[in-house]
DNA sequence: TCTGGGGTCCTAGGACCC
DNA sequence: TCTGGGGTCCTAGGACCC
């Protein structure tokens, strides 16, 4: 029999993580902010009821939150990443076939015969709540796109559905699709929804019934695949193993605007350090570095300027010294004085596994030495904390740093910030 | 020089996702 | 005063080749 696909999604994930460790916010509205404490990126149900929308700038909802005695947190990705790992690990108790799709979502491939899918969904939900304190919703159906819709529905009607909705070969699929606006279908964004609306295709059901060649013409193959998935035809493959990364980005907005070359250089070198660490953690090396700068898009003073440029090499490297040289060459090329920059970043691309690094024609010995040095530095920093050892050119503070005034402690990731029991 | 079809590779930009 | 960051996939178009 055809396998069923479950989508597990943590409810209000970042807000729920904050709640697990802070009993005082259990009953208060909770929101979590983006970097720089700029806008709201996660909300508890109570915060949603207040009318705080996803992505609202904090300054627009600050008064509202204050009045409701809401708890407001800067984002704490170390904490969320750790909690995510705990949730995902528990899933292995239910099926070996898991695709971790994002920090708070996973697809599970399930054998429909094994036992009632409804019961299985419920026990997954209970177990995760009991062991991690994170509430989750489970949607089950024939394909990923349908499982997404089932999940969304399970969340919406939480009381009736108990957080689990099984639409696998279910007569309820048709009414649910007819009630789902096409813009809420996974993979249909703002642009596509507009095009569909112009054709009077308004619901998920309408999209399902659409002529496939027409869907392809209007929305390219991506849209055609979604339409097929809505019919129960599996088009999006299940990816059990994490696919190799193609790029690694580190970019940030600054807490204030920055004009001096030296400050931007510091920011770029700092971001490069972070990106390099991540790259080596995945056992990769980069053949290209992109550097980007941008002025404030909301206040283009004196003018809008958002350049980027890429340095490519025939020899991939995982050594920060070499990456720094590439990045600074690129930065010099795009830097113009007199602009008020609000953001900078680096992208490492052309990634290859370090096992595939070929011997260099010139100066291979030096390259190998650098490779070993980076390994040693990463090891020390992993043991003793970020930036215990770093290149002298890299500063860890400056006027380019972001604002994070309301960060919760690293309850699970930092020995100095463990929860205290009195 | 521009006549012709067919193919690959690369990149920029659009669209979408969480 | 105050508006996030990190990704993927697809397509079109140019360069280059035979």
């Amino acid at each position: 029999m055809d396998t069923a696909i479950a989508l597990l999604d943590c409810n209000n994930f970042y807000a729920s993580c904050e709640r697990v460790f802070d009993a005082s916010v259990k009953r208060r509205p909770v929101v979590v902010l983006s970097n720089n404490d700029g806008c709201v990126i996660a909300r508890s149900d109570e915060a949603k009821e207040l009318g705080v929308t996803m992505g609202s700038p904090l300054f627009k909802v600050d008064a509202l939150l204050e009045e409701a005695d809401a708890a407001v947190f800067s984002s704490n990705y170390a904490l969320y990443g750790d909690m995510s790992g705990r949730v995902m690990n528990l899933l292995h108790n239910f099926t070996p076939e898991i695709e971790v799709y994002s920090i708070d979502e996973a697809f599970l491939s399930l054998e429909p015969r094994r036992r009632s899918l409804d019961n299985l969904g419920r026990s997954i939900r209970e177990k995760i709540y009991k062991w991690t304190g994170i509430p989750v919703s489970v949607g089950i159906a024939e394909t990923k796109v349908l499982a997404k819709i089932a999940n969304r529905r399970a969340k919406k009607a939480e009381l009736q559905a108990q957080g689990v909705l099984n639409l696998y070969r279910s007569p309820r699929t048709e009414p649910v699709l007819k009630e789902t606006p096409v813009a809420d279908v996974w993979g249909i964004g703002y642009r596509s929804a507009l095009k569909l609306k112009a054709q009077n295709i308004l619901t998920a059901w309408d999209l399902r019934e659409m002529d496939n060649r027409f869907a392809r013409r209007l929305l390219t193959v991506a849209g055609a695949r979604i339409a097929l998935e809505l019919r129960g035809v599996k088009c999006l493959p299940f990816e059990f193993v994490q696919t190799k990364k193609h790029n690694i980005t580190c970019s940030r907005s600054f807490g204030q605007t920055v004009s001096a070359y030296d400050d931007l250089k510091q920011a770029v070198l700092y971001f490069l350090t972070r990106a390099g660490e991540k790259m080596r953690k995945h056992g990769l090396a980069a053949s290209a570095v992109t550097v980007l700068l941008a002025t404030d898009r909301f206040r283009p003073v004196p003018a809008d300027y958002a350049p980027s440029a890429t340095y490519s090499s025939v020899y991939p490297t995982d050594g920060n010294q070499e990456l720094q040289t590439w990045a600074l060459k690129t930065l010099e090329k795009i830097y113009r004085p007199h602009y008020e920059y609000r953001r900078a970043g680096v992208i490492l691309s052309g990634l290859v596994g370090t096992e595939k690094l070929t011997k260099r024609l010139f100066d291979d010995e030096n390259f190998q030495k650098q490779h070993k040095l980076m390994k040693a530095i990463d090891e020390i920093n992993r043991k003793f904390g970020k930036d215990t050892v770093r290149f002298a050119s890299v500063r860890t503070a400056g006027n380019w740093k972001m604002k994070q005034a309301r960060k919760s402690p690293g309850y699970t990731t930092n020995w100095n910030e463990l929860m205290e029991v009195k």
Side-chain angles (χ1 to χ4, degrees):
Chain A
M1 199 192 252
D2 204 20
T3 56
I5 292 181
L7 172 67
L8 173 128
D9 190 321
C10 301
N11 300 348
N12 315 328
F13 184 55
Y14 299 165
S16 298
C17 288
E18 297 292 350
R19 266 193 175 154
V20 169
F21 293 95
D22 188 344
S24 75
V25 303
K26 282 258 167 10
R27 291 179 207 296
R28 294 160 60 200
V30 174
V31 304
V32 177
L33 304 175
S34 62
N35 281 318
N36 263 317
D37 294 345
C39 47
V40 174
I41 55 167
R43 309 156 293 156
S44 70
D45 289 337
E46 299 79 359
K48 286 176 188 170
E49 274 162 35
L50 279 179
V52 178
T53 53
M54 188 70 171
S56 332
L58 178 60
F59 70 91
K60 283 191 183 164
V61 292
D62 220 2
L64 186 65
L65 291 168
E66 182 125 357
E67 195 178 330
D69 187 32
V72 179
F73 294 95
S74 300
S75 36
N76 185 345
Y77 288 105
L79 175 66
Y80 312 147
D82 184 75
M83 290 302 290
S84 170
R86 294 174 190 216
V87 170
M88 301 307 171
N89 280 336
L90 285 173
L91 295 179
H92 289 101
N93 292 311
F94 297 96
T95 171
E97 305 195 318
I98 295 164
E99 176 186 337
V100 176
Y101 177 70
S102 75
I103 193 162
D104 70 337
E105 280 175 61
F107 289 104
L108 286 73
S109 175
L110 301 173
E111 202 53 60
R113 232 192 287 256
R114 208 172 60 174
R115 58 172 154 145
S116 150
L117 289 170
D118 299 64
N119 287 337
L120 183 57
R122 270 192 285 279
S123 53
I124 291 174
R125 180 177 146 87
E126 277 158 27
K127 177 149 191 163
I128 290 177
Y129 188 71
K130 190 168 157 197
W131 287 71
T132 66
I134 301 288
V136 304
S137 302
V138 181
I140 305 170
E142 292 90 332
T143 65
K144 285 183 167 182
V145 169
L146 286 170
K148 273 270 185 183
I149 288 175
N151 184 288
R152 199 172 150 276
R153 191 64 176 220
K155 265 205 178 86
K156 234 181 165 175
E158 180 139 17
L159 289 179
Q160 301 99 299
Q162 294 172 293
V164 178
L165 180 59
N166 175 19
L167 290 182
Y168 183 78
R169 304 206 169 165
S170 161
R172 281 192 293 166
T173 302
E174 180 171 338
V176 167
L177 292 186
K178 284 181 172 163
E179 288 166 29
T180 304
V182 76
D184 291 341
V185 174
W186 190 42
I188 301 297
Y190 177 73
R191 298 276 159 189
S192 302
L194 277 187
K195 284 185 199 164
L196 289 166
K197 197 174 170 191
Q199 302 294 329
N200 206 29
I201 291 163
L202 306 176
T203 68
W205 185 261
D206 295 341
L207 178 56
R208 180 198 143 110
E209 295 298 292
M210 199 173 165
D211 175 73
N212 207 255
R213 276 168 318 203
F214 184 46
R216 204 197 141 107
R217 209 161 0 111
L218 198 68
L219 307 173
T220 78
V221 293
R225 279 201 283 250
I226 292 165
L228 280 172
E229 285 249 326
L230 286 171
R231 284 181 216 162
V233 180
K234 289 187 174 72
C235 297
L236 305 174
F238 204 88
E239 284 159 16
F240 304 107
V241 281
Q242 201 79 19
T243 47
K244 280 253 157 56
K245 283 182 168 299
H246 299 140
N247 315 286
I248 290 171
T249 305
C250 183
S251 75
R252 297 270 183 289
S253 297
F254 309 137
Q256 52 184 282
T257 57
V258 167
S259 289
Y261 178 81
D262 234 43
D263 291 329
L264 291 169
K265 176 176 150 188
Q266 282 182 26
V268 164
L269 292 183
Y270 179 82
F271 300 150
L272 191 62
T273 305
R274 296 283 86 85
E277 274 168 8
K278 193 171 185 182
M279 175 180 77
R280 290 186 298 275
K281 206 168 101 187
H282 285 88
L284 298 169
S287 1
V289 177
T290 301
V291 175
L292 45 98
L293 298 175
T295 50
D296 190 336
R297 66 199 156 110
F298 297 101
R299 235 162 272 93
V301 181
D304 211 14
Y305 182 49
S308 75
T310 303
Y311 182 98
S312 305
S313 163
V314 285
Y315 289 123
T317 186
D318 67 347
N320 266 42
Q321 226 167 330
E322 203 166 14
L323 291 172
Q324 283 182 12
T325 314
W326 298 358
L328 291 182
K329 267 186 198 162
T330 312
L331 175 63
E332 276 165 30
K333 215 157 68 182
I334 58 175
Y335 174 75
R336 302 277 177 279
H338 312 308
Y339 284 103
E340 310 234 332
Y341 298 98
R342 191 63 201 228
R343 174 191 183 78
V346 302
I347 303 169
L348 302 178
S349 57
L351 299 176
V352 295
T354 39
E355 76 282 353
K356 282 197 203 135
L357 289 181
T358 47
K359 212 168 154 58
R360 295 201 173 184
L361 208 46
F362 301 104
D363 214 10
D364 189 58
E365 199 180 328
N366 187 35
F367 172 67
Q368 298 301 340
K369 241 189 255 173
Q370 231 196 99
H371 179 69
K372 278 187 197 136
L373 174 66
M374 292 318 301
K375 268 196 169 160
I377 292 177
D378 287 341
E379 184 63 30
I380 292 170
N381 287 338
R382 190 159 52 239
K383 262 192 200 147
F384 298 103
K386 197 161 86 174
D387 294 320
T388 303
V389 177
R390 57 182 160 78
F391 285 90
S393 53
V394 176
R395 303 271 178 280
T396 57
N399 57 358
W400 47 271
K401 270 284 187 169
M402 64 181 182
K403 214 163 52 180
Q404 272 204 310
R406 322 199 195 199
K407 196 164 149 209
S408 57
Y411 297 109
T412 63
T413 53
N414 187 334
W415 288 113
N416 298 319
E417 299 179 0
L418 289 179
M419 193 163 24
E420 289 173 25
V421 180
K422 290 180 185 153

